[in-house]
Amino acid sequence: MQHLRQARRTMSSTTKLYLFHGGLRLDGHKQISNQSPIATCKPQNRYVIPVQQHIGAAGDIIVEKGQRVLKGQMLATTKILISAPIHSPVSGTVIEIGKHAVPHPSGMETDCIIIENDFQDEWIRRNPVAENYHQMNSHDLRNIVRNAGIVGLGGAVFPAAIKQTETNIRTLILNGVECEPYITCDDKLMQERAREIISGADIIGHIIKARECIVAIEDNKPEAIAAIQAAIDEDSTGFFHLQIIPTKYPSGSEKQLIKIITGKEVPINGLPADIDLLCHNVGTAYAIHQAVFKDEPLISRVVSITGNGVKQPQNMEVPIGTYIADCVTQCGGYNDNASCMIMGGPMMGYSIHSDHLPVVKATNCLLVTSNNEIHPANTEAHLPCIRCAKCVEVCPAKLLPQQLYWYASTNNFERASEYHLFDCIECGCCSYVCPSQIPLVQYYRSAKSKIWELEADLKKSNAARKRHEARQFRLEQQKREREERLRQKREMLNTKKGRPEENEINLKKAAIAEALARVKQKKETQAITPKNTDNLTAEQLRQIKEADQRRQAMKKKNHE
Amino acid sequence: MLFRKASSPFISAQASVHTIMYQVLYALIPGTLAAIYFFGWGVLINLAITAIICLFSEALVLKLRNRPIKVSLKDGSALITACLLALALPPLVPWWLTVIASIFAIVIAKQLYGGLGFNLFNPAMVGYIVVMISFPREMTYWTAPLGAVDHWLSFSDTFSVIFYGALPDQSSIDSITMATPMDTLKTQIGLENDITSTRHHKVYGTLFSNISGKGWQWINLLFLLGGLWMIKMKVIDWRIPVSFLLSLLLISNFFSVSDYATYPSALFHLFSGGTMLCAFFIATDPVSASTTPRGRWIYGAGIGVLVYTIRTWGGYPDGIAFAIILMNMAVPLLDYYTQPKTYGKADTE
């Protein structure tokens, strides 16, 4: 029976592949960094650990300045669902808690915990569950993953445990595609630690109760393929199969990979779980193995330090919080022609202005380019779009980049949204092929953030208006109540006097006074000008006007 | 250490508009040489006039608009417009007509809309239509192709016809010009002579050869070859030429099969007039054509139908220019309603 199942699975591993729309065949430049084994980063004096290194909320810091911490000790924790704790990469002393520059496109500073190494390498007490995980339930295993601070190491750094809350998902896809040029950290990890990766994937499979796991690797990594195949053969449960896919950018993007393997598309605004799939990066699987078998939280990762700007490009296992400068020093330092430092790959990474920044969980690659190695599009002087639609041919999201550019560059955000601006995954294929050298992705990014800004502004002004209206209503009510009390008092007085005619006159007078008050009050309400309408852009004024019209239309409808 | 900041992607294919435009110009060479071979000095003189005027007026407007002149002149787009215009105009049109067409194409149709990338209409076709509507008589000054006559009109004669309107001794304009095969067929069919008798007519018969018209078939064939090379080099998208030629073939074949005496064959339509020039060089102008895959199918097919309609039932000998401009108008609509389903939409709808 087992044999039969296995045979069927082997058969299904040779199923046909599907094509996703567009994509590019790029020069890999992988050999720059994948010629030597993964090196270990020497211990440094100081580590800077940003509190937020993941998608979601930052954790609460649970250590104090001056406190001694052990290697693997939790520094910040969280009760919020989409968040992840962080841990100390070394034993030592917390010497500072405060703002420090972190790798970010804007070069911003965030809360960081700075630890001075005492070089004792003293671990916290560890209690690995190891093989016992087979007997554990999903919930408890998930907690181990969560407490180890494990996030998606492919670059998205989404907390891994959240992805695993769905169970009974049919297929787990292990992403070892690594389609961006230059990056080889997953390649090397698969070559050297295939068994641990497969073991980690088995743990994930156990958590989500998957029935099969497909390991996808691009065909430009024969050594990784061989290593993973060997590990799969050793496993012999028939749970795993290897899927070799053609080398094409961006096959490693989750949505595109799912399309290649299953032929299905993740529904818009949906998750892979909606089509019975879950994707994890091989690095994430390795980290989960370490957490379960060694009780080691995520305190280091493999980083490709590559590019022609570095003397000895290589992959290195770097403790989270190590200064980028320290890593590069260990790679022999910079070449004289080093010009640009990119975190991530050359297609989707972002350039950082300084190397005095820590390596974070998202740092899969530090690409130091020489001057002639890169050709970023020039924002100031590019030729106009000639609508050649080469971008349409390569867009993996099946968008019309040239139309998006037209509307994004003229701030016509409504139209840009209509042309599905928010489906853009910013893979950079369109910019890559553009004969006019237009930095298309930059236009889309800026349009997206402007739209978010506008939406936030609108929300704010709506909230202000609501507050204002509520206050108005409250004041009116108080006035009414006061008048009511006055009237009752007067009535009481009049009845006491017992002079009916006068009483009647008084009543009439009171009614007139009340009516006058109402009129006055109405005038006041109408005279009140809405707040926060100064210095609004034409676009915002238009949106407010639209909202007013909608409100009036609603009122009318309600009246009818 | 501090680094230079830039935005992703940091690498590019290093393609350029310049390369694309010059590849189009290279692909035009064989067909242009054939046109010169069959129709003589007039084509060359037209080419010289359009090139000079197009480049000059482009430079002038760019200067007025305070735009960089050199970059735009070097991109080759004005030169393409000049070539297309010269190939569309009859070889003996007066010089001022060529000048008007060139200025109109570049200044009005291209630069006033915002220059390269912003023109809604194909500039060369706008220039052509202006002179076609304004000076219909001059627009019939086609010479008979080599093969129908045994030598070119001499350079000095051609020069004086074009620049001074002076005809060679003892000749009238009718004796040195001749209608195109397509025009001839149209007139003759209008006079209720059928195709076979026209093809064997003692005067007009010399214009025809076994596929379409003498000279015209070779010119068209060479433009076809240039076009195929451009598709191979990925300079143009294959959808527009294929759908245009296919629709023209189907519709002309339908009518020709139903009544071969009054409707010329599909082959005649495909290899006559500006068909191949239109299919690969005019309809594929990226700026004024549809950009979506489905839109391009419709765009090409629409041009095919319009070309056939105007050729067969319209008032003009060839319908390319009008068909192109009419479909140019439809492009924003086509692009809007033929958006591809983005990733993730296919399964939900």
Side-chain angles (χ1 to χ4, degrees):
Chain A
M1 193 61 200
Q2 180 78 29
H3 273 299
L4 260 178
R5 271 217 315 260
Q6 202 176 327
R8 209 176 304 141
R9 278 189 181 132
T10 330
M11 298 249 299
S12 72
S13 76
T14 55
T15 43
K16 75 166 213 182
L17 292 175
Y18 301 82
L19 286 175
F20 65 87
H21 182 265
L24 296 170
R25 282 173 213 292
L26 300 172
D27 263 351
H29 299 286
K30 305 267 190 186
Q31 72 294 339
I32 298 178
S33 59
N34 70 359
Q35 299 302 309
S36 55
I38 300 173
T40 316
C41 190
K42 283 185 210 129
Q44 305 292 333
N45 284 325
R46 210 165 262 201
Y47 293 88
V48 179
I49 299 114
V51 177
Q52 187 184 19
Q53 303 182 28
H54 47 264
I55 288 183
D60 305 316
I61 299 168
I62 50 169
V63 289
E64 282 166 8
K65 190 174 168 181
Q67 183 182 336
R68 176 151 198 270
V69 290
L70 299 177
K71 187 172 180 181
Q73 182 174 336
M74 208 180 266
L75 302 175
T77 183
T78 172
K79 287 202 174 71
I80 296 161
L81 187 66
I82 302 183
S83 183
I86 53 161
H87 304 79
S88 174
V90 289
S91 60
T93 316
V94 177
I95 55 165
E96 175 104 47
I97 296 174
K99 299 275 182 203
H100 192 285
V102 294
H104 190 274
S106 70
M108 68 174 182
E109 298 189 339
T110 66
D111 286 332
C112 292
I113 299 167
I114 302 173
I115 291 169
E116 191 152 72
N117 195 355
D118 62 7
F119 296 95
Q120 302 292 312
D121 204 33
E122 195 179 329
W123 272 94
I124 46 158
R125 209 161 53 82
R126 283 173 292 168
N127 253 334
V129 290
E131 290 293 348
N132 294 334
Y133 77 84
H134 289 290
Q135 279 81 51
M136 289 175 71
N137 64 34
S138 299
H139 179 261
D140 294 345
L141 264 178
R142 213 161 32 230
N143 269 343
I144 293 178
V145 173
R146 181 175 167 82
N147 287 332
I150 294 171
V151 293
L153 294 181
V157 287
F158 186 80
I162 311 293
K163 274 176 126 182
Q164 298 160 354
T165 41
E166 299 262 353
T167 50
N168 286 320
I169 285 172
R170 192 191 149 76
T171 309
L172 169 67
I173 294 177
L174 204 55
N175 187 344
V177 175
E178 199 165 54
C179 58
E180 273 232 36
Y182 291 96
I183 310 178
T184 57
C185 60
D186 288 348
D187 181 15
K188 292 309 282 185
L189 194 74
M190 286 188 285
Q191 286 181 33
E192 296 183 17
R193 301 172 195 178
R195 252 201 221 153
E196 289 85 345
I197 289 170
I198 291 298
S199 155
D202 197 61
I203 299 167
I204 303 170
H206 186 72
I207 296 176
I208 62 166
K209 299 192 173 70
R211 271 171 282 170
E212 58 171 354
C213 172
I214 298 170
V215 191
I217 308 176
E218 267 186 352
D219 57 11
N220 63 353
K221 304 177 186 62
E223 283 143 323
I225 290 169
I228 290 287
Q229 184 64 59
I232 288 176
D233 291 344
E234 213 174 298
D235 171 78
S236 80
T237 56
F239 176 66
F240 294 97
H241 29 250
L242 182 65
Q243 183 68 70
I244 300 163
I245 62 166
T247 300
K248 191 180 177 192
Y249 176 83
S251 298
S253 156
E254 183 175 81
K255 289 177 169 181
Q256 274 61 43
L257 181 59
I258 286 173
K259 173 88 182 184
I260 294 171
I261 291 177
T262 65
K264 291 182 205 159
E265 290 183 0
V266 181
I268 215 113
N269 301 325
L271 291 170
D274 298 339
I275 49 172
D276 226 7
L277 295 164
L278 182 71
C279 261
H280 268 299
N281 176 265
V282 287
T284 317
Y286 175 76
I288 288 173
H289 167 87
Q290 295 295 94
V292 170
F293 277 78
K294 295 188 174 161
D295 197 12
E296 280 183 15
L298 182 60
I299 52 170
S300 71
R301 68 157 299 150
V302 180
V303 180
S304 295
I305 299 154
T306 182
N308 291 331
V310 181
K311 287 217 169 90
Q312 294 152 18
Q314 58 187 286
N315 281 282
M316 193 185 281
E317 183 156 8
V318 183
I320 306 296
T322 312
Y323 278 115
I324 290 170
D326 292 336
C327 302
V328 177
T329 309
Q330 214 184 308
C331 296
Y334 298 103
N335 281 324
D336 294 337
N337 57 3
S339 71
C340 203
M341 167 78 82
I342 299 161
M343 194 177 115
M347 292 300 285
M348 289 184 77
Y350 53 87
S351 70
I352 47 183
H353 64 285
S354 149
D355 58 2
H356 195 65
L357 307 172
V359 165
V360 292
K361 290 175 183 176
T363 313
N364 51 356
C365 180
L366 292 167
L367 172 58
V368 188
T369 62
S370 60
N371 267 323
N372 51 4
E373 206 173 359
I374 54 162
H375 317 276
N378 189 339
T379 340
E380 280 87 49
H382 58 73
L383 286 175
C385 168
I386 56 163
R387 292 165 46 87
C388 66
K390 290 202 189 301
C391 47
V392 178
E393 281 164 43
V394 297
C395 179
K398 285 198 269 185
L399 300 172
L400 297 175
Q402 84 286 357
Q403 306 295 99
L404 278 179
Y405 161 68
W406 182 264
Y407 296 120
S409 61
T410 51
N411 288 351
N412 190 343
F413 299 132
E414 231 163 85
R415 273 286 210 201
S417 302
E418 250 173 68
Y419 277 92
H420 312 291
L421 175 66
F422 285 94
D423 290 348
C424 168
I425 57 170
E426 297 178 18
C427 64
C429 289
C430 50
S431 307
Y432 182 88
V433 295
C434 181
S436 296
Q437 316 276 340
I438 306 172
L440 293 161
V441 180
Q442 224 171 308
Y443 278 102
Y444 307 151
R445 262 192 222 123
S446 128
K448 281 181 190 173
S449 56
K450 277 181 198 157
I451 292 174
W452 283 324
E453 231 169 76
L454 275 176
E455 274 172 3
D457 279 359
L458 199 66
K459 242 186 217 164
K460 249 194 239 164
S461 64
N462 276 345
R465 205 204 328 275
K466 264 188 199 149
R467 265 203 310 279
H468 174 74
E469 280 167 0
R471 178 170 176 270
Q472 222 44 51
F473 181 74
R474 215 167 48 237
L475 290 178
E476 246 171 72
Q477 211 170 16
Q478 282 168 356
K479 210 172 190 179
R480 262 203 305 276
E481 279 166 9
R482 208 167 43 237
E483 272 161 10
E484 181 67 13
R485 273 201 305 277
L486 268 172
R487 198 176 61 84
Q488 279 174 355
K489 231 179 194 175
R490 260 201 308 268
E491 245 170 55
M492 248 162 66
L493 278 172
N494 282 339
T495 37
K496 262 184 192 167
K497 280 176 187 166
R499 282 165 61 180
E501 311 94 87
E502 211 167 302
N503 196 3
E504 220 163 76
I505 293 162
N506 277 345
L507 268 176
K508 269 182 189 164
K509 267 185 185 167
I512 290 164
E514 211 178 311
L516 278 174
R518 264 205 309 277
V519 168
K520 198 180 165 197
Q521 192 187 326
K522 209 173 183 183
K523 266 184 190 163
E524 265 171 20
T525 353
Q526 277 167 352
I528 286 157
T529 46
K531 279 184 181 177
N532 292 0
T533 47
D534 302 333
N535 306 326
L536 286 183
T537 62
E539 176 73 5
Q540 287 167 327
L541 283 173
R542 192 179 59 75
Q543 279 163 334
I544 291 170
K545 202 176 148 199
E546 272 176 16
D548 283 332
Q549 277 166 353
R550 271 202 302 280
R551 201 179 302 115
Q552 250 155 30
M554 283 262 277
K555 257 188 205 163
K556 225 181 253 171
K557 222 179 189 180
N558 287 344
H559 279 307
E560 281 165 15
Chain B
M1 184 161 163
L2 290 177
F3 301 94
R4 164 163 93 101
K5 288 277 283 177
S7 178
S8 74
F10 301 91
I11 49 177
S12 78
Q14 301 281 293
S16 77
V17 173
H18 178 92
T19 319
I20 294 178
M21 296 291 181
Y22 276 87
Q23 277 172 321
V24 174
L25 282 173
Y26 297 149
L28 272 170
I29 290 174
T32 310
L33 288 179
I36 294 168
Y37 173 80
F38 285 108
F39 292 103
W41 292 110
V43 181
L44 265 179
I45 294 173
N46 280 352
L47 205 53
I49 299 175
T50 54
I52 291 167
I53 299 298
C54 282
L55 289 174
F56 179 75
S57 48
E58 174 119 319
L60 191 75
V61 181
L62 286 168
K63 196 172 157 57
L64 289 174
R65 292 177 63 209
N66 275 328
R67 295 295 167 105
I69 296 173
K70 235 181 177 174
V71 185
S72 296
L73 282 192
K74 261 167 70 183
D75 69 26
S77 59
L79 222 47
I80 292 180
T81 302
C83 277
L84 296 179
L85 205 48
L87 291 166
L89 292 173
L92 292 183
V93 282
W95 65 273
W96 47 265
L97 188 144
T98 315
V99 170
I100 290 172
S102 306
I103 292 177
F104 216 88
I106 294 294
V107 177
I108 311 271
K110 185 179 176 189
Q111 289 295 340
L112 285 193
Y113 277 89
L116 178 67
F118 295 93
N119 47 302
L120 294 178
F121 303 106
N122 186 309
M125 291 302 102
V126 172
Y128 179 85
I129 285 179
V130 166
V131 289
M132 185 69 173
I133 294 174
S134 315
F135 312 104
R137 192 170 62 95
E138 282 80 0
M139 290 297 280
T140 61
Y141 289 179
W142 282 93
T143 51
L146 208 64
V149 289
D150 44 14
H151 59 84
W152 293 359
L153 203 60
S154 72
F155 179 77
S156 57
D157 282 350
T158 314
F159 191 86
S160 51
V161 171
I162 290 175
F163 285 94
Y164 306 113
L167 299 167
D169 293 339
Q170 295 164 352
S171 65
S172 65
I173 190 78
D174 290 333
S175 67
I176 55 166
T177 62
M178 196 139 187
T180 61
M182 207 149 43
D183 206 6
T184 310
L185 270 191
K186 198 168 188 171
T187 324
Q188 292 304 311
I189 292 163
L191 297 170
E192 298 194 350
N193 295 324
D194 67 8
I195 291 176
T196 329
S197 66
T198 312
R199 271 173 171 272
H200 294 98
H201 191 275
K202 62 180 181 344
V203 182
Y204 310 123
T206 55
L207 284 172
F208 295 92
S209 69
N210 35 11
I211 294 179
S212 59
K214 282 204 178 91
W216 288 102
Q217 57 186 18
W218 293 107
I219 295 170
N220 270 285
L221 189 71
L222 287 167
F223 280 135
L224 167 69
L225 289 179
L228 292 176
W229 177 76
M230 284 200 296
I231 289 178
K232 188 174 163 281
M233 300 301 287
K234 299 211 154 110
V235 178
I236 55 168
D237 187 65
W238 55 275
R239 291 181 186 87
I240 292 174
V242 167
S243 79
F244 163 60
L245 293 176
L246 210 62
S247 81
L248 185 60
L249 182 129
L250 289 177
I251 189 169
S252 56
N253 200 45
F254 173 79
F255 281 103
S256 148
V257 166
S258 65
D259 181 4
Y260 69 88
T262 42
Y263 294 102
S265 70
L267 216 53
F268 180 84
H269 272 288
L270 291 184
F271 287 91
S272 285
T275 304
M276 292 298 170
L277 189 67
C278 168
F280 294 98
F281 297 89
I282 304 173
T284 52
D285 165 34
V287 179
S288 56
S290 175
T291 53
T292 66
R294 268 194 304 153
R296 284 177 164 174
W297 279 107
I298 302 171
Y299 179 77
I303 294 173
V305 172
L306 285 172
V307 164
Y308 188 81
T309 311
I310 299 169
R311 277 182 181 178
T312 313
W313 301 288
Y316 291 95
D318 202 349
I320 304 272
F322 291 102
I324 293 278
I325 297 297
L326 285 172
M327 287 313 285
N328 284 167
M329 289 178 197
V331 162
L333 209 64
L334 281 179
D335 279 357
Y336 187 77
Y337 285 108
T338 58
Q339 290 181 54
K341 267 186 192 155
T342 55
Y343 181 103
K345 291 250 164 69
D347 288 355
T348 50
E349 282 172 10

